Amino acid sequence: MPSKSHIAVVGAGAFGGWTALYLLRRGARVTLLDAWGPGNARSSSGGDTRVMRGTYGPDQPYARMAARAMRLWKEHDQRWNCRLFHQTGVLWMATAGDDEYERASLPFLREAGIKFEELSPEEMTRRWPQINFEDVRWGIHEPESGFLRANTACQVVVNGFVAEGGEYRQAAVVPGKVESDYRDGLRLSDGSTLLADQYVFACGPWLGKLFPETVGDLIRPTKQDVFFFGTPAGDDRFSEAKLPVWADHRDRFTYGIPANEGHGFKIADDSRGPEFDPTSGERTASAETLAMVRDYLGFRFPAMKGAPLVETQVCQYENAPDNHFIIDRHPRVENIWIAGGGSGHGFKHGPVIGEMVAELVMERKDADAMFRLGRFAKETG
Ligand SMILES: Cc1cc2nc3c(=O)[nH]c(=O)nc-3n(C[C@H](O)[C@H](O)[C@H](O)COP(=O)(O)OP(=O)(O)OC[C@H]3O[C@@H](n4cnc5c(N)ncnc54)[C@H](O)[C@@H]3O)c2cc1C
């Protein structure tokens, strides 16, 4: 019997955890490592929740990927007997003046088989009277979309991976020179070396530090503040029982997740914040962003005007220059793979990325051209 191929996956966030699981299911022996643990508070997969949506404007092939991912999240909820996916629906508010993004989404939603309805402001007001639809010309409602638990999901995926026979270790890979250091085994923080046949680095916002020449500034971490407001006592109009996930392209792209499982009403601004160091950055939300978010909250959700802030979280996007994922074999070392560049929208796709990377690694295929590092050849010189 030929021995199983041994693959080390570094990073147990949304990209690495699912990749490790699918590599295992394809018959590899897999060791998964993480410096601080799956979905830790420094990671881009940290925090409570993430939006699961299919509306993606003209940025494709993400609607199709989201449709597949949604099926896989639901399948795993059943398999693991848990509730990572909450089907609250997602409502997109297209404002007067600029509804290009929403318009461009429709054919892709149709093609991907994601259920949606186009709604007038009157119909939206009838269904969700707790929202002020001033400025909104029309809306897209995705009734079968919703939100995902984030850090919990990362832990559940790793538990599933271990239950199916994978090995998980909490250890940090010490950055080194790619050609001489990583290829012949990973040097770990506990002084040991981990030798494998192939290596997948799914280190989110840290990829630039681990691969300064190959990735470097191509992944730019930015600080993103997330706010949770307390809902009125005894009132479920702003909780998952009555409100869908929502997104609004008004002046800035603002989105939110209804209160759920004891958490407040979540609201965040998708605009890229200042550059941020994921290891040493202090996670204090900015007072300026809070003031802006409060103004918006009072306008769009009048009964939430003046609601108390009950929690804040600071996460970072790991932005690729074109906001597309980076999934590729290392250009100079053929047994090293890189998966990252989630750019503020990667979480939902975790299971699909896992399937995709596992196929590339096990079948030694070439990555899709749109995700390859080579697309930045001009920028890298
Ligand atoms: C505020 C916010 C809101 C978002 N909203 C959404 C959303 O609504 N929907 C959506 O789909 N996506 C969303 N995203 C994006 C999504 O969460 C990320 O793209 C995705 O989680 C990235 O996962 P990752 O596995 O690539 O990175 P990470 O989760 O950062 O995982 C990388 C892991 O690598 C580990 N690591 C790093 N260096 C080393 C080392 N040297 N040795 C060992 N381990 C190491 C880290 O500890 C970490 O756990 C959001 C992101 C943020 C920050």
Side-chain angles (χ1 to χ4, degrees), residues 34-308:
D34 199 288
W36 294 289
N40 67 79
R42 279 183 171 107
S43 73
S44 292
S45 305
D48 287 321
T49 47
R50 293 291 186 274
V51 178
M52 174 79 240
R53 42 116 180 172
T55 296
Y56 250 99
D59 302 330
Q60 298 303 328
Y62 299 108
R64 186 166 35 83
M65 287 171 69
R68 168 101 188 124
M70 198 133 48
R71 272 198 297 281
L72 292 173
W73 282 106
K74 287 180 185 172
E75 236 174 76
H76 283 85
D77 266 359
Q78 284 207 333
R79 183 196 280 239
W80 292 326
N81 190 25
C82 59
R83 188 170 174 235
L84 302 175
F85 175 60
H86 292 228
Q87 191 175 314
T88 55
V90 175
L91 177 66
W92 290 79
M93 297 179 246
T95 41
D98 185 7
D99 64 352
E100 223 173 278
Y101 186 90
E102 287 78 9
R103 284 261 160 253
S105 303
L106 300 178
F108 294 106
L109 283 166
R110 227 168 262 131
E111 189 186 292
I114 295 174
K115 276 204 186 137
F116 70 96
E117 29 183 9
E118 291 173 63
L119 301 178
S120 66
E122 294 72 32
E123 177 57 19
M124 289 189 280
T125 305
R126 195 186 64 72
R127 292 193 197 183
W128 302 290
Q130 66 276 50
I131 305 179
N132 164 25
F133 287 102
E134 188 183 326
D135 286 1
V136 178
R137 197 198 284 169
W138 63 287
I140 301 175
H141 180 228
E142 300 176 35
E144 295 184 352
S145 302
F147 69 89
L148 297 158
R149 301 239 74 87
N151 52 6
T152 308
C154 295
Q155 186 60 61
V156 168
V157 170
V158 172
N159 293 347
F161 162 78
V162 171
E164 289 183 37
E167 186 199 359
Y168 169 73
R169 286 169 67 183
Q170 184 157 336
V173 170
V174 179
K177 287 214 168 57
V178 176
E179 287 84 350
S180 53
D181 295 336
Y182 299 159
R183 185 166 40 187
D184 302 322
L186 304 177
R187 215 150 45 87
L188 305 184
S189 45
D190 62 5
S192 64
T193 300
L194 177 70
L195 191 62
D197 300 308
Q198 301 203 64
Y199 304 95
V200 180
F201 284 82
C203 300
W206 288 270
L207 277 171
K209 286 198 173 137
L210 285 153
F211 297 96
E213 287 173 28
T214 311
V215 178
D217 291 343
L218 287 178
I219 290 185
R220 204 172 54 88
T222 54
K223 177 172 178 277
Q224 307 299 141
D225 299 343
V226 180
F227 302 93
F228 296 79
F229 290 93
T231 55
D235 181 347
D236 67 354
R237 287 176 300 158
F238 302 98
S239 78
E240 62 176 328
K242 298 268 171 71
L243 191 71
V245 168
W246 53 272
D248 185 352
H249 267 134
R250 198 172 168 239
D251 306 325
R252 317 167 72 88
F253 179 17
T254 310
Y255 68 93
I257 293 181
N260 63 85
E261 297 189 1
H263 295 287
F265 175 103
K266 172 173 168 175
I267 174 164
D269 176 358
D270 182 62
S271 314
R272 273 41 181 172
E275 294 217 4
F276 191 71
D277 184 320
T279 306
S280 61
E282 290 259 290
R283 293 178 189 261
T284 311
S286 114
E288 202 180 297
T289 315
L290 171 60
M292 208 173 61
V293 160
R294 263 192 200 289
D295 275 355
Y296 174 85
L297 182 68
F299 165 74
R300 193 61 93 203
F301 301 89
M304 290 290 289
K305 191 176 169 66

